[in-house]
Amino acid sequence: MESNEQAWIDLSLIPRPWHIEITGCEHPWAERPVVVHKTRLDELPADTPNWQRAEAYRLEITEGRPTISAESEPGLAAARRTLRQLTARETVPDLRIADRPAYEWRGLNVDIARHFFGPDELLRVMDIMADVGLNRLHLHLSDDQGWRIEIPGLPELTERSSHTSVGGGPGGYLTRAQMDELARAAEDRGIALIPEVDVPGHTTAALHALPGLNPRNTPDVYEGIEVGISTLTEALPETERFLAAVFEGLGRYGAAGIHIGGDECLLTPPDEFTRLVARAAHHVRKQGHPVIAWQEAAPVLEAGEYVQVWDERQDFAEVAEAAARGVGIIASPATRAYLDMKYTPDDPIGLTWAGTTSVREALEWDPKDLVAGVEPGAIHGVEACIFTETIETFDQLTYMLLPRLAAVAEVAWAGSGIGQWDSFSRRIAVTWRR
């Protein structure tokens, strides 16, 4: 019987399964009916959480005939994903795979505010995500450079601020009908949408569209890439109307959570910042949805909500305090999971404020090491991010995503990529190598 590692390598499985054993010889692969059993998986430990049971599966191939078993539809879908990878080969050995993900939240954040990517491109992104076992598509829908989502009651946002982007590009936005279709397509792929409108900073597009949000002059459209240049103002009556309309307008897409941003608010006084993000959180909570925020907003979050950790240069004391009261941590360290960082200094696109990130660096890390002093169970997930200041086309987007997204996805599914480079580099498709 081959070792697990050698079987992963020989079969080029990504992400790597929890357990695999080769039980017999190779057979030429021909399409055959798949036997499906929805049944309890007795090989899982008794204390396996329900979310993990839901995505666990068993795949057995005997004399070229596949059987998949799982306790629910997400597990069956994961089994079919692995079977598709196996059957891309001309021959497939008899084998048994038992698998389950390490983390419930396995995400990708796509910024469509700096440069706009529309429904067709986002559908293709979701297909890539499904291929590597990711299950959360976080859409960064607003920023200084553009507003990308229709909000009932505030048509000015798209009328005045959706047609701009970094460098003067064409812009664009998602209609409600398009968001509805994306939500249905995501569900078909086992992916939940996570809408984000970032407040109180990153708001120049909103300030341009709604003069009542401005204590002084309405700002011009912004086509640069600086951060920390804008803020909402608590004292203006329009601010509360804006927050209510936006976060309640996102509610139909927020079952898995609504992201309120909260990062890089360099112009917002600290006490006012806390009150503003608390008001945004209030409008999410009253709809019964989990609140998600970047790490700077950790103090306003409550048990059962999520803090997304991105900037390793900051003190994580407030993140640790939030985790102690039951807030889940989403690990997105910029040096590992920000896929808008250049692969090397010579790359023509990408940023370098967090350094460069090779495929190996995107793989070889453990989310449990990110925030010192928190219990391993506080880490609820892993999310890659791609911000699009320098990314204008879909080809550029996929160039920056692949193969690093597969590396981050392996960390999210298997729990860690430390010590796996030799295996991963041999498993990854030749066309994805950097």
Side-chain angles (χ1 to χ4, degrees):
M1 183 182 298
E2 292 179 274
S3 70
N4 286 0
E5 182 176 354
Q6 191 60 49
W8 297 334
I9 293 169
D10 291 346
L11 299 174
S12 300
L13 295 175
I14 295 174
R16 69 184 190 273
W18 171 41
H19 176 79
I20 180 171
E21 58 184 280
I22 305 301
T23 58
C25 61
E26 302 240 355
H27 300 273
W29 178 255
E31 290 296 330
R32 294 180 174 87
V34 179
V35 177
V36 177
H37 296 302
K38 190 175 284 188
T39 183
R40 183 173 176 83
L41 299 177
D42 292 331
E43 59 264 50
L44 294 174
D47 60 352
T48 300
N50 289 337
W51 70 262
Q52 197 173 49
R53 280 193 171 277
E55 294 196 77
Y57 68 89
R58 182 193 314 126
L59 168 61
E60 297 173 283
I61 298 179
T62 304
E63 296 183 355
R65 293 177 172 80
T67 299
I68 61 178
S69 304
E71 299 189 8
S72 63
E73 288 300 324
L76 295 176
R80 292 187 181 102
R81 180 192 73 236
T82 298
L83 185 59
R84 285 195 301 272
Q85 291 188 37
L86 289 169
T87 57
R89 300 158 44 91
E90 292 183 358
T91 62
V92 178
D94 287 351
L95 54 76
R96 183 180 185 278
I97 293 174
D99 199 8
R100 80 288 180 271
Y103 291 112
E104 181 177 12
W105 185 298
R106 305 181 305 280
L108 170 63
N109 171 21
V110 180
D111 167 23
I112 64 171
R114 273 52 175 264
H115 285 101
F116 180 66
F117 293 89
D120 290 344
E121 293 153 321
L122 293 174
L123 287 171
R124 294 166 69 185
V125 168
M126 283 194 276
D127 286 337
I128 294 169
M129 293 173 61
D131 284 344
V132 293
L134 298 179
N135 64 358
R136 300 287 193 279
L137 175 56
H138 169 180
L139 292 177
H140 187 75
L141 295 167
S142 68
D143 216 295
D144 293 308
Q145 299 85 356
W147 190 276
R148 307 302 185 201
I149 180 71
E150 272 189 327
I151 298 296
L154 294 177
E156 305 95 321
L157 290 167
T158 49
E159 289 170 358
R160 299 177 184 170
S161 288
S162 68
H163 309 296
T164 54
S165 65
V166 169
Y173 68 94
L174 297 172
T175 66
R176 302 284 279 183
Q178 288 171 330
M179 277 292 286
D180 289 344
E181 180 56 35
L182 284 172
R184 287 190 291 267
E187 185 177 8
D188 289 344
R189 292 161 174 80
I191 295 170
L193 289 187
I194 306 294
E196 179 194 356
V197 165
D198 199 346
V199 296
H202 292 277
T203 47
T204 299
L207 300 175
H208 174 75
L210 299 170
L213 292 178
N214 297 281
R216 290 175 291 279
N217 296 328
T218 300
D220 294 332
V221 297
Y222 183 67
E223 298 175 349
I225 65 170
E226 295 300 315
V227 298
I229 63 170
S230 58
T231 185
L232 298 177
T233 302
E234 180 186 25
L236 298 177
E238 184 74 359
T239 298
E240 177 63 17
R241 186 174 84 89
F242 168 79
L243 292 173
V246 167
F247 290 106
E248 291 173 24
L250 295 178
R252 69 195 286 174
Y253 313 112
I258 295 175
H259 206 303
I260 63 173
D263 63 315
E264 299 176 317
C265 299
L266 307 184
L267 299 183
T268 317
D271 290 346
E272 185 174 8
F273 168 83
T274 300
R275 292 190 294 269
L276 284 166
V277 292
R279 291 305 301 165
H282 163 76
H283 291 294
V284 174
R285 288 175 188 140
K286 76 180 195 177
Q287 301 173 80
H289 299 322
V291 178
I292 309 153
W294 299 108
Q295 67 198 54
E296 293 93 322
V300 309
L301 297 173
E302 299 177 353
E305 298 177 340
Y306 300 96
V307 58
Q308 188 163 3
V309 176
W310 66 281
D311 188 351
E312 299 148 277
R313 301 167 299 183
Q314 295 183 21
D315 186 344
F316 287 160
E318 292 180 335
V319 172
E321 290 170 5
R325 61 178 183 268
V327 175
I329 294 172
I330 307 301
S332 298
T335 60
R336 304 286 187 167
Y338 268 43
L339 306 186
D340 48 299
M341 296 300 109
K342 293 185 177 187
Y343 288 92
T344 71
D346 297 329
D347 264 305
I349 57 174
L351 301 173
T352 57
W353 65 262
T356 58
T357 302
S358 66
V359 181
R360 184 167 186 168
E361 288 165 328
L363 174 77
E364 287 198 318
W365 62 287
D366 189 323
K368 295 189 294 296
D369 297 336
L370 181 59
V371 180
V374 302
E375 294 295 324
I379 309 296
H380 280 237
V382 172
E383 185 172 288
C385 300
I386 187 159
F387 293 94
T388 58
E389 288 94 335
T390 69
I391 300 168
E392 301 181 35
T393 68
F394 188 75
D395 284 347
Q396 291 175 339
L397 185 71
T398 53
Y399 170 82
M400 297 300 281
L401 286 175
L402 298 173
R404 292 182 296 185
L405 184 62
V408 178
E410 174 138 327
V411 175
W413 185 274
S416 172
I418 293 175
Q420 295 300 322
W421 174 247
D422 288 344
S423 166
F424 183 86
S425 63
R426 293 167 66 183
R427 285 182 280 126
I428 197 74
V430 172
T431 54
W432 282 7
R433 285 186 181 161
R434 290 284 184 268

